[in-house]
Amino acid sequence: MSTYRDLTHSGSARATVLRTVGTRERRSHLTAPRVPTVGIDIGGTKVMAGVVDADGNILEKIKTETPDKSKSAKVVEDTITELVLDLSDRHDVHAVGIGAAGWVDADRANVLFAPHLAWRNEPLRDNLQARLAVPVMVDNDANTAAWAEWRFGAGRGEDHLVMITLGTGIGGAILEDGRVKRGKYGVAGEFGHMQVVPGGHRCPCGNRGCWEQYSSGNALVREARELAAADSPVAYDIIERVKGNVPDITGPLITELAREGDAMCVELLQDIGQWLGVGIANLAAALDPSCFVIGGGVSAADDLLIGPARDAFRRHLTGRGYRPEARIAKAQLGPEAGMVGAADLARLIARRFRRANRRRVERYERYAQAYEQATRSIRSTTRNTGTSS
């Protein structure tokens, strides 16, 4: 029968092993080969590809529009392949990392579901790896952006970080002790699909009232277009700017007008920011991180968005006044964060690929040596037999 002393010793040993494994995983990026890799960021509107070095510097970047989501998944894969092959003409590419706007399984191989793309249980990693002949890593785009900000940007030095990406929708990621927390099935961090308004706006995910329907690029544009379509007096400036063509109203245009002092656009960004702050307060209650990093295209509005978010966060934070407040920072790497993070994570599989290749070469050399020795032995035996005859 095990004694308490035995059990205590066993538990201590197991804890030591787990800490060792965790440290090795956290430091794995420090020992990854310093080779160029390609990062791909796939969103609802664009596909961006770039060659990134080991220090997070972008050596070259190209992008194109995301193929229409009504088309087959293969069309998007064709686009990715074309971009990688284009970059490979000018760079020595050792691995490819994909940051996809969707749910990626725990093996980082299959896109389970993408609200803004035609991917349903799509074996993206294997499909692309077969076509590109280099190792491929697939992850959620918010995970890759968070990794980049932790490695090279606003999250450096943070042990507990939450990333919020505001683009077409809302993505999210959690990093603890330098490790991305993906959850049991790989789909942790889908904060954009938390329900904040029961029975609210319909979301592409199929539910109603998701957070991203109130604090995202789509939400910002929807509100502006509704006011313009209603010929609201507060929308006259933006109507004039698009010459009455309401579908031409975009998020960047709203941000531009807000910076110029347009009252309606400033108010819309404040509304988006307030919803952002409410969601962040909820996440703080659940996760208690030390830092929230706000990224994605909508974050380009800077304090027009993040200022109201900080105010709303303080008003809605559970236990406000009696607990430390997490820092809220704008992402430093801009819209390239997802691409840079995907490339950096791919560098880890480039190491494994190089090791596997080295083992194959070593195994081949051993076989060749054994074959040569066997051949010499046969020849020697044949000569001796002939001489005896």
Side-chain angles (χ1 to χ4, degrees), residues 12 17 106 148 186 249 251 257 309:
S12 175
V17 170
I249 295 175
L257 289 173

Side-chain angles (χ1 to χ4, degrees), residues 34-325:
R34 297 181 63 81
V35 295
T37 50
V38 168
I40 309 284
D41 183 23
I42 308 169
T45 58
K46 64 173 175 56
V47 181
M48 183 189 304
V51 180
V52 182
D53 69 14
D55 297 315
N57 300 310
I58 300 172
L59 306 181
E60 184 181 353
K61 178 182 70 175
I62 54 179
K63 63 181 178 179
T64 186
E65 292 183 357
T66 302
D68 185 82
K69 61 184 177 183
S70 66
K71 297 179 181 178
S72 70
K74 184 177 180 299
V75 177
V76 182
E77 293 171 10
D78 290 342
T79 301
I80 296 169
T81 301
E82 290 170 7
L83 293 176
V84 173
L85 293 178
D86 185 6
L87 292 169
S88 298
D89 288 340
R90 297 176 295 282
H91 302 273
D92 185 16
V93 175
H94 291 256
V96 175
I98 309 289
W103 297 355
V104 179
D105 67 6
D107 293 331
R108 285 180 279 174
N110 306 299
V111 180
L112 303 175
F113 176 71
H116 306 288
L117 294 167
W119 282 336
R120 305 293 183 268
N121 293 312
E122 182 69 17
L124 186 60
R125 183 190 66 186
D126 292 345
N127 289 351
L128 290 174
Q129 203 158 264
R131 299 177 67 174
L132 297 173
V134 294
V136 174
M137 183 279 310
V138 180
D139 207 338
N140 174 265
D141 57 348
N143 288 343
T144 62
W147 179 265
E149 291 293 340
W150 177 71
R151 285 272 284 128
F152 310 111
R156 281 176 293 185
E158 297 288 352
D159 289 332
H160 294 79
L161 177 148
V162 170
M163 178 91 179
I164 309 292
T165 58
L166 304 177
T168 305
I170 293 181
I174 308 163
L175 268 79
E176 290 186 3
D177 297 325
R179 297 175 62 191
V180 178
K181 308 296 285 186
R182 297 183 174 85
K184 174 67 175 178
Y185 305 107
V187 297
E190 288 295 335
F191 310 135
H193 299 288
M194 299 185 302
Q195 189 182 59
V196 295
V197 180
H201 292 293
R202 177 72 73 180
C203 180
C205 77
N207 291 330
R208 287 186 178 274
C210 292
W211 186 26
E212 71 173 41
Q213 292 306 304
Y214 299 88
S215 185
S216 69
N218 272 356
L220 181 67
V221 171
R222 182 192 65 232
E223 296 296 314
R225 287 179 179 177
E226 285 181 0
L227 286 168
D231 203 25
S232 170
V234 300
Y236 282 171
D237 285 347
I238 200 167
I239 291 172
E240 183 179 354
R241 181 66 68 91
V242 298
K243 297 181 173 57
N245 191 12
V246 173
D248 286 347
I249 295 175
T250 63
L253 175 60
I254 296 168
T255 300
E256 179 186 340
L257 289 173
R259 288 198 178 108
E260 294 173 3
D262 181 85
M264 182 199 78
C265 293
V266 169
E267 183 177 335
L268 290 178
L269 282 169
Q270 287 175 342
D271 290 344
I272 296 296
Q274 288 171 5
W275 276 111
L276 176 60
V278 170
I280 291 175
N282 290 338
L283 291 173
L287 302 174
D288 191 31
S290 59
C291 177
F292 288 95
V293 176
I294 312 301
V298 183
S299 69
D302 299 320
D303 277 345
L304 290 168
L305 173 81
I306 296 178
R310 289 193 179 109
D311 293 340
F313 170 68
R314 294 189 184 102
R315 288 197 308 273
H316 293 88
L317 182 63
T318 303
R320 51 194 173 276
Y322 297 95
R323 60 178 288 177
E325 290 185 7

